[in-house]
Amino acid sequence: MANRRNFIKTSAFAAVAAVTNIPESKASSPKSKSSVVKPIVVSTWKFGIKANEAAWEILKNKGKALDAVEAGVMVPENSLLERSVGLGGRPDRDGHVTLDACIMDELSNIGAVACLEYIKHPISVARAVMEKTPHVMLVGEGALQFALSQGFPKETGVVEESQNEWKEWLKTSNYKPVVNIENHDTIGMIAMDARGNLSGACTTSGMAYKMHGRVGDSPIIGAGLYVDNEIGASTATGHGEEVIRIAGSHLVVELMRQGRTPEMACKEAVERVVKLMKIRNKDLKDIQVGFIALNKNGEHGAYCVQTGFNYAVHDNEGNRLLDANSHVK
Ligand code: SD4
């Protein structure tokens, strides 16, 4: 019976692949329950390895994906040595560290904060927005007031090293984001728990020396993060303006809905970024965009514009860092 069910599922899938013109080898096919890889957590960049460990502690004990992704991304948020996430991050051009974060669960509950200052764990404030307010996003001073009202402590502003770097930068004041800064950037994390439920979280200090008030893709549901519990999840890193332009993470999930494997979906989204750069006469070498994706089979994939983007995967086989394929070879 199980085989017959699988056969029917697979045949139905082949029909979808034919209609949508996806070569079957590149398409993701539904798997039988027992072959689904879960639990699993996938996150951006090398610091994803440590973050995955914290998430795994929850996932391996049959905890919820939502709790896992929050705990996972809190690891880099907590480290003042990280220059691209949390309060250790580089400031904006006026010297303020402003943080962006969002979170999404298997029921499409969402919460986000943008341009939040002085708070160590913006992801937890985003979760509080999701769980304790009638809204989905709070920004700036309002987000800070809300965080303080929820008992989040107010921390000091910029760490000394970031401040010194910023003072150096002020000498030229040239906004020119560096591709793959120190090889790590925003942390985006997506996970499927033992029950097969998906959730995601994304948190960053954003582009260094951005204009004060600038918000990137990372706190924007559909751009920096998207989860559809029937299909899969995706999150982004890199130049947020380019990710927002294509509603990147939502696009990746929709491409998986149409049958693409996670890597194929990320690749098509990256190709769209590349195409728009060309149409708009912009130099591709100045930008990096990377996507990671996870589907309901527990299959994962990634793709990026420039080489150098990697992502961390933790399942029952262990925790490892993988290099993403890139458009520019
Ligand atoms: C942003 N996407 O603020 C973030 C930052 C990042 O590589 O990931 N930079 O646009």
Side-chain angles (χ1 to χ4, degrees), residues 176-187:
K176 201 166 186 340
V178 186
V179 164
N180 298 341
I181 306 171
E182 292 176 355
N183 241 1
H184 60 77
D185 258 294
T186 294
I187 183 143

Side-chain angles (χ1 to χ4, degrees), residues 92 96-100 115-117 204-206 210 212 214:
D92 64 19
H96 299 261
V97 178
T98 64
L99 306 174
D100 293 343
C115 212
L116 173 65
E117 290 186 63
T204 189
S205 52
K210 59 195 175 184
H212 185 57
R214 178 266 190 189

Side-chain angles (χ1 to χ4, degrees), residues 25 33-34 55 85 106 140 212 235 256 271 326:
S25 59
K33 263 189 182 165
S34 59
V85 174
E106 77 278 9
H212 185 57
T235 184
M256 290 195 289
E271 301 302 349
S326 57

Side-chain angles (χ1 to χ4, degrees), residues 2-3 6 9-10 28-40 192 294-300 315-317:
N3 282 345
N6 284 343
K9 269 195 199 163
T10 313
S28 178
S29 55
K31 289 198 171 153
S32 69
K33 263 189 182 165
S34 59
S35 60
V36 170
V37 177
K38 62 181 185 186
I40 180 167
M192 180 159 63
L294 175 67
N295 69 14
K296 286 291 274 190
N297 292 334
E299 294 159 335
H300 53 82
D315 55 18
N316 284 314
E317 311 269 283

